[in-house]
Protein backbone atom coordinates (compact mmCIF):
# COMPACT_ATOMS: atom_id res chain seq x y z
CA UNK A 1 0.00 0.00 0.00
CA UNK A 2 1.35 3.43 -0.94
CA UNK A 3 2.50 5.73 1.83
CA UNK A 4 1.53 9.37 2.22
CA UNK A 5 3.66 12.42 2.89
CA UNK A 6 1.90 15.60 3.99
CA UNK A 7 3.79 18.80 3.13
CA UNK A 8 2.65 21.72 5.27
CA UNK A 9 3.36 25.10 3.69
CA UNK A 10 3.84 23.66 0.20
CA UNK A 11 5.60 25.96 -2.25
CA UNK A 12 7.24 25.72 -5.69
CA UNK A 13 10.70 25.40 -4.17
CA UNK A 14 11.06 23.14 -1.15
CA UNK A 15 7.60 21.62 -1.36
CA UNK A 16 7.84 20.67 -5.02
CA UNK A 17 11.35 19.29 -4.64
CA UNK A 18 10.40 17.03 -1.73
CA UNK A 19 7.19 15.97 -3.47
CA UNK A 20 9.12 14.90 -6.57
CA UNK A 21 11.63 12.80 -4.65
CA UNK A 22 9.10 11.11 -2.37
CA UNK A 23 6.55 10.80 -5.17
CA UNK A 24 9.02 8.98 -7.40
CA UNK A 25 9.57 6.57 -4.49
CA UNK A 26 5.85 5.74 -4.50
CA UNK A 27 4.49 8.19 -1.94
CA UNK A 28 1.19 9.99 -2.37
CA UNK A 29 1.50 13.73 -1.76
CA UNK A 30 -0.81 15.87 0.37
CA UNK A 31 -0.26 19.44 -0.81
CA UNK A 32 -1.11 21.84 2.02
CA UNK A 33 -0.95 25.54 1.21
CA UNK A 34 -2.85 28.69 2.08
CA UNK A 35 -3.94 29.47 -1.50
CA UNK A 36 -6.25 26.93 -3.10
CA UNK A 37 -5.33 27.95 -6.67
CA UNK A 38 -1.62 27.44 -6.06
CA UNK A 39 -2.20 24.12 -4.30
CA UNK A 40 -4.25 22.83 -7.24
CA UNK A 41 -1.59 24.02 -9.68
CA UNK A 42 1.07 22.05 -7.79
CA UNK A 43 -1.16 18.98 -7.89
CA UNK A 44 -1.52 19.33 -11.68
CA UNK A 45 2.25 19.69 -12.10
CA UNK A 46 2.88 16.57 -10.03
CA UNK A 47 0.20 14.64 -11.94
CA UNK A 48 1.99 15.59 -15.13
CA UNK A 49 5.07 13.83 -13.74
CA UNK A 50 3.07 10.73 -12.83
CA UNK A 51 2.89 11.50 -9.10
CA UNK A 52 -0.36 11.07 -7.17
CA UNK A 53 -1.23 14.19 -5.20
CA UNK A 54 -4.21 16.00 -3.70
CA UNK A 55 -4.67 19.59 -2.57
CA UNK A 56 -5.72 20.54 0.96
CA UNK A 57 -5.87 24.35 1.20
CA UNK A 58 -5.22 25.56 4.76
CA UNK A 59 -3.51 28.21 6.85
CA UNK A 60 -0.87 26.16 8.66
CA UNK A 61 -0.76 28.64 11.55
CA UNK A 62 -4.43 28.05 12.42
CA UNK A 63 -5.00 25.17 14.91
CA UNK A 64 -8.53 24.40 13.72
CA UNK A 65 -7.46 24.31 10.08
CA UNK A 66 -4.49 22.04 10.89
CA UNK A 67 -6.77 19.55 12.65
CA UNK A 68 -9.40 19.68 9.90
CA UNK A 69 -6.75 19.20 7.21
CA UNK A 70 -5.21 16.20 8.95
CA UNK A 71 -8.67 14.62 9.22
CA UNK A 72 -9.34 15.31 5.52
CA UNK A 73 -6.02 13.78 4.47
CA UNK A 74 -6.66 10.66 6.51
CA UNK A 75 -10.10 10.36 4.94
CA UNK A 76 -8.87 10.91 1.37
CA UNK A 77 -5.37 9.43 1.27
CA UNK A 78 -5.09 7.31 4.38
CA UNK A 79 -2.80 7.60 7.36
CA UNK A 80 0.02 10.17 7.19
CA UNK A 81 3.36 8.37 7.27
CA UNK A 82 5.66 11.38 6.86
CA UNK A 83 5.05 15.06 7.47
CA UNK A 84 7.23 17.96 6.38
CA UNK A 85 6.82 21.43 7.81
CA UNK A 86 8.19 23.67 5.05
CA UNK A 87 6.30 26.92 5.62
CA UNK A 88 8.49 30.01 5.26
CA UNK A 89 8.02 33.73 5.49
CA UNK A 90 8.27 36.27 2.72
CA UNK A 91 11.38 38.38 2.20
CA UNK A 92 9.27 41.38 3.15
CA UNK A 93 8.59 39.86 6.61
CA UNK A 94 12.21 40.16 7.72
CA UNK A 95 13.51 42.84 10.07
CA UNK A 96 17.10 43.58 8.99
CA UNK A 97 18.45 44.76 12.35
CA UNK A 98 18.58 43.11 15.75
CA UNK A 99 18.66 46.54 17.36
CA UNK A 100 15.40 47.41 15.62
CA UNK A 101 13.70 44.12 16.47
CA UNK A 102 10.68 44.46 18.72
CA UNK A 103 8.13 41.98 20.03
CA UNK A 104 5.55 42.57 17.24
CA UNK A 105 8.33 41.84 14.73
CA UNK A 106 8.44 38.26 16.02
CA UNK A 107 4.77 37.56 15.38
CA UNK A 108 5.06 36.20 11.83
CA UNK A 109 8.29 34.19 12.22
CA UNK A 110 7.20 32.67 15.54
CA UNK A 111 3.81 31.72 14.12
CA UNK A 112 5.39 30.11 11.05
CA UNK A 113 8.50 28.47 12.49
CA UNK A 114 7.58 27.65 16.10
CA UNK A 115 3.83 27.60 16.70
CA UNK A 116 2.90 25.91 13.42
CA UNK A 117 5.48 23.08 13.75
CA UNK A 118 4.14 22.42 17.25
CA UNK A 119 0.58 22.30 15.92
CA UNK A 120 1.62 19.84 13.20
CA UNK A 121 3.41 17.63 15.70
CA UNK A 122 0.52 17.57 18.15
CA UNK A 123 -1.87 16.62 15.34
CA UNK A 124 0.27 13.75 14.03
CA UNK A 125 2.66 12.41 16.67
CA UNK A 126 0.16 10.47 18.83
CA UNK A 127 -1.01 8.29 15.93
CA UNK A 128 2.57 7.77 14.73
CA UNK A 129 3.68 6.71 18.21
CA UNK A 130 0.72 4.35 18.49
CA UNK A 131 1.70 2.72 15.16
CA UNK A 132 5.38 2.64 16.11
CA UNK A 133 6.49 4.36 12.90
CA UNK A 134 6.52 7.72 11.14
CA UNK A 135 8.65 10.77 10.51
CA UNK A 136 8.31 14.46 11.34
CA UNK A 137 10.56 16.65 9.20
CA UNK A 138 11.19 20.37 9.57
CA UNK A 139 12.91 23.14 7.61
CA UNK A 140 15.23 25.75 9.08
CA UNK A 141 17.85 28.19 7.85
CA UNK A 142 21.46 29.08 8.50
CA UNK A 143 20.87 31.83 11.04
CA UNK A 144 20.73 29.61 14.18
CA UNK A 145 24.41 28.72 13.59
CA UNK A 146 25.62 31.82 11.76
CA UNK A 147 24.53 35.18 13.20
CA UNK A 148 22.76 37.12 10.45
CA UNK A 149 21.36 40.40 11.78
CA UNK A 150 19.69 41.10 8.43
CA UNK A 151 17.39 38.17 9.27
CA UNK A 152 17.08 39.15 12.91
CA UNK A 153 13.48 38.18 13.64
CA UNK A 154 13.65 34.89 11.73
CA UNK A 155 16.96 34.05 13.37
CA UNK A 156 15.32 34.23 16.79
CA UNK A 157 12.38 32.06 15.68
CA UNK A 158 14.58 29.48 13.96
CA UNK A 159 16.73 29.15 17.07
CA UNK A 160 13.57 28.44 19.08
CA UNK A 161 12.41 25.90 16.49
CA UNK A 162 15.79 24.20 16.60
CA UNK A 163 15.51 23.74 20.36
CA UNK A 164 11.99 22.35 19.97
CA UNK A 165 13.00 19.77 17.36
CA UNK A 166 16.03 18.66 19.37
CA UNK A 167 13.86 18.13 22.44
CA UNK A 168 11.18 16.41 20.37
CA UNK A 169 13.71 14.00 18.84
CA UNK A 170 15.07 13.10 22.26
CA UNK A 171 11.59 12.34 23.56
CA UNK A 172 10.72 10.23 20.50
CA UNK A 173 13.71 7.93 20.87
CA UNK A 174 12.58 4.32 21.03
CA UNK A 175 9.11 5.02 19.64
CA UNK A 176 9.88 4.30 15.98
CA UNK A 177 9.10 7.92 15.08
CA UNK A 178 11.91 10.06 13.66
CA UNK A 179 12.19 13.84 13.98
CA UNK A 180 14.75 15.82 12.01
CA UNK A 181 15.41 19.35 10.82
CA UNK A 182 17.25 20.46 7.68
CA UNK A 183 19.16 23.73 8.06
CA UNK A 184 19.08 25.30 4.61
CA UNK A 185 21.83 27.77 3.76
CA UNK A 186 21.07 28.01 0.06
CA UNK A 187 18.61 29.74 -2.21
CA UNK A 188 16.15 27.05 -3.30
CA UNK A 189 15.57 26.61 -7.01
CA UNK A 190 12.13 27.73 -8.24
CA UNK A 191 11.23 29.12 -4.80
CA UNK A 192 9.43 32.41 -4.43
CA UNK A 193 12.53 33.77 -2.67
CA UNK A 194 14.68 32.93 -5.69
CA UNK A 195 12.17 34.52 -8.05
CA UNK A 196 12.03 37.66 -5.90
CA UNK A 197 15.79 38.02 -5.61
CA UNK A 198 16.28 37.47 -9.32
CA UNK A 199 13.77 40.24 -10.00
CA UNK A 200 15.06 42.52 -7.23
CA UNK A 201 18.73 41.76 -6.48
CA UNK A 202 18.88 44.88 -4.30
CA UNK A 203 16.98 42.94 -1.63
CA UNK A 204 20.08 40.82 -0.93
CA UNK A 205 22.45 42.36 1.63
CA UNK A 206 25.50 44.00 0.06
CA UNK A 207 28.56 41.77 -0.15
CA UNK A 208 26.71 38.53 0.53
CA UNK A 209 26.60 35.76 -2.06
CA UNK A 210 23.95 33.10 -1.55
CA UNK A 211 24.65 29.65 -2.95
CA UNK A 212 21.87 27.95 -4.90
CA UNK A 213 20.52 24.41 -5.02
CA UNK A 214 17.77 22.88 -7.12
CA UNK A 215 14.62 21.97 -5.28
CA UNK A 216 15.02 18.31 -6.27
CA UNK A 217 18.53 18.21 -4.76
CA UNK A 218 17.08 19.58 -1.56
CA UNK A 219 14.35 16.93 -1.67
CA UNK A 220 17.03 14.26 -1.86
CA UNK A 221 18.52 15.55 1.39
CA UNK A 222 15.15 15.03 3.08
CA UNK A 223 14.88 11.55 1.57
CA UNK A 224 18.25 10.61 3.08
CA UNK A 225 17.18 11.99 6.44
CA UNK A 226 13.97 9.96 6.28
CA UNK A 227 15.66 6.71 5.25
CA UNK A 228 18.91 6.94 7.25
CA UNK A 229 17.56 8.54 10.44
CA UNK A 230 21.05 8.88 11.89
CA UNK A 231 21.03 12.62 12.66
CA UNK A 232 18.50 15.00 14.12
CA UNK A 233 20.01 18.02 12.37
CA UNK A 234 21.49 18.22 8.88
CA UNK A 235 22.92 21.31 7.19
CA UNK A 236 23.29 22.17 3.51
CA UNK A 237 25.08 25.13 2.00
CA UNK A 238 27.49 25.79 4.85
Amino acid sequence: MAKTIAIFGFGPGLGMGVARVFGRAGFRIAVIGRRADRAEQHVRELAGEGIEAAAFPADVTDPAQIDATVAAIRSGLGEIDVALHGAAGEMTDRIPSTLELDVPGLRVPMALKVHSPILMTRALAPAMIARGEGALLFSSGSSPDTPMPYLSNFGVALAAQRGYVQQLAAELQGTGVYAGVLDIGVLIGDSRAEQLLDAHPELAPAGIEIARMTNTELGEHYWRMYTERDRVEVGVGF
Side-chain angles (χ1 to χ4, degrees):
M1 184 175 178
K3 292 186 174 183
T4 296
I5 179 171
I7 301 178
F8 291 76
F10 196 108
L14 177 62
M16 186 60 73
V18 173
R20 282 197 181 106
V21 173
F22 278 76
R24 290 167 184 169
F27 275 74
R28 293 169 299 199
I29 316 299
V31 175
I32 306 162
R34 188 168 48 187
R35 287 186 48 176
D37 56 341
R38 287 181 178 172
E40 293 290 356
Q41 175 60 34
H42 295 315
V43 168
R44 288 192 292 272
E45 290 173 12
L46 291 168
E49 299 179 26
I51 296 170
E52 182 182 353
F56 298 88
D59 178 349
V60 299
T61 66
D62 184 297
Q65 291 190 48
I66 287 274
D67 290 343
T69 296
V70 168
I73 294 169
R74 285 173 170 154
S75 176
L77 298 180
E79 195 54 71
I80 297 170
D81 302 281
V82 182
L84 166 65
H85 191 279
E90 303 292 342
M91 295 285 291
T92 51
D93 292 326
R94 69 183 188 181
I95 294 178
S97 168
T98 306
L99 291 172
E100 295 175 11
L101 176 61
D102 57 10
V103 172
L106 288 171
R107 184 183 62 81
V108 170
M110 290 295 286
L112 281 172
K113 303 309 293 183
V114 182
H115 303 159
S116 183
I118 291 171
L119 293 173
M120 183 189 85
T121 300
R122 287 177 59 85
L124 296 175
M128 290 182 174
I129 293 169
R131 296 195 309 273
E133 62 179 4
L136 298 165
L137 306 175
F138 303 87
S139 64
S140 186
S142 54
S143 50
D145 262 336
T146 307
M148 295 180 176
Y150 68 90
L151 296 173
S152 65
N153 54 341
F154 277 91
V156 171
L158 291 176
Q161 183 200 50
R162 179 189 204 180
Y164 172 72
V165 176
Q166 292 282 356
Q167 291 175 188
L168 176 65
E171 196 163 338
L172 288 173
Q173 283 187 0
T175 67
V177 182
Y178 168 73
V181 58
L182 183 64
D183 299 331
I184 303 169
V186 296
L187 196 58
I188 306 169
D190 296 330
S191 66
R192 286 191 287 274
E194 182 187 60
Q195 294 164 9
L196 184 62
L197 280 177
D198 284 345
H200 301 281
E202 70 277 4
L203 291 175
I208 291 182
E209 283 215 23
I210 306 174
R212 301 188 183 221
M213 180 177 287
T214 69
N215 56 8
T216 301
E217 287 177 303
L218 207 60
E220 289 166 352
H221 280 283
Y222 274 111
W223 179 256
R224 285 193 291 273
M225 290 172 67
Y226 165 66
T227 56
E228 296 173 4
R229 301 176 177 229
D230 58 346
R231 287 184 289 171
V232 174
E233 192 168 10
V234 177
V236 295
F238 303 100

